[in-house]
Amino acid sequence: MNDVILKARGVRKRFGDTEVLKGIDLDVRSGEVLCVIGPSGSGKSTLLRCFNHLERIDAGRVWMDGELVGYEQHGPSGRVLRERRARDVRRQRERIGMVFQRFHLFPHRTAVQNVMEGPVAVKGRPRAQAEKQARKLLADVGLADRADHYPEQLSGGQQQRVAIARALAMEPALMLFDEPTSALDPELVGEVLGVMRDLARSGMTMVVVTHEMGFAREVADRVLFMDRGAVVEAGSPDLLFTDPRHDRTRAFLSTVL
Ligand SMILES: Nc1ncnc2c1ncn2[C@@H]1O[C@H](COP(=O)(O)OP(=O)(O)OP(=O)(O)O)[C@@H](O)[C@H]1O
């Protein structure tokens, strides 16, 4: 059994009167690809953002490699943890790469400049070394000949592949994908899913929020079905997509397939 790389216990998040996450428990194991599916508004994106500390959680804990990266901020224990853990949180967050629905590239920087920015600014890498690594990563995602283009000169699928290379440049131990193909024209979805499939085969640990059921079925080791802020069913894609006992996932699938 592989090591647990990310662990969440009792994660709760509320926006105003709405409880968006109602106590999520989850273990993500090293090398695993976990796809999170579920209806719009069920809390999938919020869960990823809580994993990456982009959202503060109201209750519960999140650990990365055994170190806390997320915890409730209020109350005496939260305050003490905040002070003690700030440095650990920063270091561990750098080990989590995230790819968003929209690509968020710097518009006035070329693809290679976008990819090398993190290693230079955050890790203090020499520029020449960071550029060499960035060009290799761009080649890995099929963009060797687009490295010196600006984002506006690239298609949406190409921009998203640059965004993936940019996240990988930080040498993450875990990659989070938040509906990475939802903003793309249908004909560009395949090229991004292809890069993600290659990444999964290379052994990267991945949590993928997606509406691409074909990808989930083919690539995921485990699928989580979320509804109204809770994990309703979880299991291997074959089990979850076909076993009659998982009737809530299958009812959802019948609405999207
Ligand atoms: N910053 C915010 N402020 C207020 N409400 C929010 C905020 N972010 C999310 N929500 C609400 O929380 C709920 C869950 O949103 P979330 O984006 O996590 O769902 P989702 O399952 O990812 O949906 P989708 O598949 O449509 O992206 C929704 O009702 C949403 O409107």
Side-chain angles (χ1 to χ4, degrees):
M1 191 61 86
N2 290 344
D3 296 340
V4 172
I5 187 164
L6 184 106
K7 177 166 124 175
R9 290 292 179 273
V11 171
R12 290 181 180 274
K13 178 70 188 173
R14 157 184 299 282
F15 290 114
D17 290 340
T18 314
E19 193 165 37
V20 175
L21 297 177
K22 298 176 181 164
I24 304 284
D25 295 331
L26 182 65
D27 287 345
V28 181
R29 294 184 182 281
S30 181
E32 166 174 61
V33 178
L34 186 69
C35 282
V36 184
I37 63 171
S40 182
S42 55
K44 308 180 296 295
S45 299
T46 306
L47 182 64
L48 280 199
R49 296 171 64 80
C50 287
F51 286 168
N52 202 15
H53 212 67
L54 289 174
E55 287 298 349
R56 291 178 169 193
I57 63 182
D58 297 326
R61 299 270 162 98
V62 180
W63 294 262
M64 176 78 188
D65 278 338
E67 284 185 319
L68 275 178
V69 290
Y71 45 86
E72 91 285 346
Q73 302 279 313
H74 308 294
S77 72
R79 215 168 298 129
V80 171
L81 282 170
R82 189 166 57 224
E83 284 159 18
R84 200 184 321 145
R85 299 293 184 183
R87 210 168 348 120
D88 296 345
V89 168
R90 232 182 354 261
R91 196 183 64 241
Q92 289 295 11
R93 271 187 65 188
E94 284 169 18
R95 291 168 48 75
I96 304 177
M98 187 145 174
V99 175
F100 301 88
Q101 192 173 339
R102 309 227 162 252
F103 331 116
H104 301 302
L105 299 176
F106 292 115
H108 303 300
R109 292 191 182 145
T110 61
V112 72
Q113 288 166 347
N114 267 281
V115 175
M116 62 193 275
E117 173 68 23
V120 170
V122 180
K123 292 187 183 254
R125 287 265 164 79
R127 293 194 75 80
Q129 189 191 336
E131 178 173 345
K132 195 169 164 206
Q133 181 212 23
R135 288 191 187 276
K136 159 135 194 354
L137 285 167
L138 286 169
D140 290 347
V141 298
L143 292 174
D145 59 345
R146 296 285 188 280
D148 298 303
H149 286 54
Y150 288 91
E152 66 174 15
Q153 299 171 310
L154 301 172
S155 72
Q158 290 170 338
Q159 289 185 58
Q160 191 60 301
R161 286 186 279 151
V162 175
I164 293 172
R166 177 181 56 182
L168 292 173
M170 294 298 285
E171 296 167 347
L174 168 69
M175 285 282 285
L176 306 177
F177 291 86
D178 189 4
E179 299 188 30
T181 58
S182 295
L184 299 177
D185 291 337
E187 71 273 19
L188 302 179
V189 168
E191 63 188 54
V192 172
L193 293 181
V195 165
M196 291 169 60
R197 200 176 290 121
D198 291 346
L199 198 56
R201 286 203 190 110
S202 79
M204 176 61 75
T205 312
M206 297 164 54
V207 181
V208 184
V209 171
T210 187
H211 293 287
E212 294 292 332
M213 297 306 149
F215 178 85
R217 181 146 198 186
E218 187 201 335
V219 181
D221 297 297
R222 206 150 52 101
V223 176
L224 233 63
F225 173 57
M226 277 185 74
D227 197 8
R228 284 173 240 175
V231 176
V232 177
E233 293 173 342
S236 73
D238 270 350
L239 205 64
L240 215 62
F241 287 7
T242 56
D243 186 314
R245 281 169 300 176
H246 292 107
D247 55 344
R248 296 180 64 183
T249 305
R250 291 170 71 240
F252 165 70
L253 289 172
S254 69
T255 67
V256 293
L257 289 178

